[in-house]
Amino acid sequence: MIILYDLPSNLPTQAWSGNTWKARFCLNYKGLPYKTEWVEYPDVPSIYKKHGISPVCSFGEGGKYYSLPVIHDTSTGTTIAESLEIAKYLDATYPDAPSVLPKVVEGSAEALSDQAEVVKIIDGDYPLVLPITLHSVGKILNPPSKAHVVQTRAQILGLFGVGTIEEFKFSEEDVNKGWDHLKSIFDALDKKFGGEDGKFGWYLGARISFADFALGGSLLFLKTAWGEDSSEWAKVKNWHNGKWVAALNALDSYTTVV
């Protein structure tokens, strides 16, 4: 059995994090048995310490921080952090299941770099989109995680004395920059997922791969944080002739939360 550690919300399905969705997509696509253990933000370091692993994600000038997803495979006793590393582990450990890094399995280091580069585009420059996502995220988090987000995002933005999500004030210019940055990300992705004719296609063309899950995670994060009926999500839905809605529809079979 594989345990997926994920961040909860106050929504019925709980899942909301784009990063953890990447790992969840992999598990669902491969058809591997797993269960979710929900961990509030302040408790994430305890998962690392429990399993004796070190943080792998970078923050600021080379600093490391504790993040999810993390999986623990009870069959092998292995614990892995970070979604791309999880994908690599699952492909190597369960070769009979469909691969999510197919060219990497065949031994191409260039293929892994290519997938990582696409993920880098999708993730974008995170602080730039905070003016258009932070308040919405705050509304769906449970109190412990909400307090953690206030503290860490204030640090990212260089703000002091901020005690609540509501105290984050963004100018119209900040909001516009946030939208411009988000649109630039999807402009860059347009030709990589099916070409520029408005029709969605898998990143590798013929078959699904980790890059598609990274895209899906980002889209589900935005849709969940803003709400399906929000004006913000309606704006993204209309970009590139509805390509991103088609992407989520194509991934729908792999969005189970267990």
Side-chain angles (χ1 to χ4, degrees):
M1 175 66 74
I2 294 172
I3 300 170
L4 170 65
Y5 295 101
D6 197 354
L7 297 162
S9 70
N10 56 30
L11 301 173
T13 60
Q14 296 210 65
W16 66 276
S17 167
N19 285 327
T20 51
W21 262 115
K22 297 172 193 174
R24 189 180 296 280
F25 273 128
C26 290
L27 291 164
N28 288 338
Y29 176 67
K30 286 177 168 293
L32 298 173
Y34 76 97
K35 66 177 182 178
T36 304
E37 287 195 12
W38 302 101
V39 184
E40 298 289 353
Y41 265 125
D43 298 324
V44 171
S46 68
I47 299 301
Y48 281 73
K49 294 170 184 175
K50 174 182 177 180
H51 294 293
I53 60 173
S54 300
V56 296
C57 295
S58 298
F59 174 78
E61 296 298 324
K64 300 291 185 179
Y65 71 98
Y66 299 94
S67 67
L68 297 182
V70 168
I71 66 164
H72 176 68
D73 189 343
T74 60
S75 299
T76 64
T78 303
T79 305
I80 304 288
E82 202 277 316
S83 55
L84 186 56
E85 293 300 315
I86 290 171
K88 289 162 59 179
Y89 168 80
L90 295 175
D91 273 2
T93 308
Y94 299 97
D96 292 336
S99 62
V100 297
L101 295 166
K103 292 184 179 180
V104 176
V105 171
E106 296 164 12
S108 171
E110 181 180 353
L112 179 59
S113 177
D114 186 44
Q115 292 268 333
E117 187 60 32
V118 174
V119 173
K120 185 177 180 180
I121 295 172
I122 292 169
D123 289 346
D125 190 348
Y126 176 68
L128 289 179
V129 299
L130 284 174
I132 60 174
T133 59
L134 181 59
H135 288 134
S136 296
V137 169
K139 292 177 181 178
I140 66 172
L141 293 181
N142 297 317
S145 287
K146 188 173 182 179
H148 174 89
V149 163
V150 170
Q151 178 184 5
T152 57
R153 276 43 174 186
Q155 183 179 357
I156 289 172
L157 295 170
L159 301 175
F160 301 96
V162 175
T164 66
I165 288 283
E166 293 72 26
E167 290 177 21
F168 284 87
K169 305 297 182 182
F170 299 107
S171 67
E172 183 177 352
E173 181 181 5
D174 291 333
V175 171
N176 290 337
K177 284 182 178 179
W179 279 111
D180 288 346
H181 181 64
L182 188 63
K183 181 61 162 55
S184 73
I185 291 173
F186 284 100
D187 285 344
L189 296 173
D190 186 22
K191 68 181 79 173
K192 295 183 180 295
F193 290 89
E196 297 179 314
D197 58 0
K199 295 181 180 179
F200 173 73
W202 302 126
Y203 176 67
L204 291 180
R207 58 157 298 167
I208 203 166
S209 70
F210 182 78
D212 303 302
F213 297 150
L215 172 66
S218 179
L219 290 169
L220 281 175
F221 162 69
L222 295 173
K223 179 182 178 181
T224 304
W226 286 330
E228 187 171 5
D229 298 325
S230 66
S231 60
E232 292 91 344
W233 178 240
K235 183 182 295 190
V236 173
K237 286 200 303 184
N238 288 327
W239 287 346
H240 307 104
N241 298 313
K243 173 178 284 190
W244 312 119
V245 175
L248 284 184
N249 289 339
L251 289 164
D252 185 63
S253 298
Y254 312 115
T255 56
T256 304
V257 177
V258 296

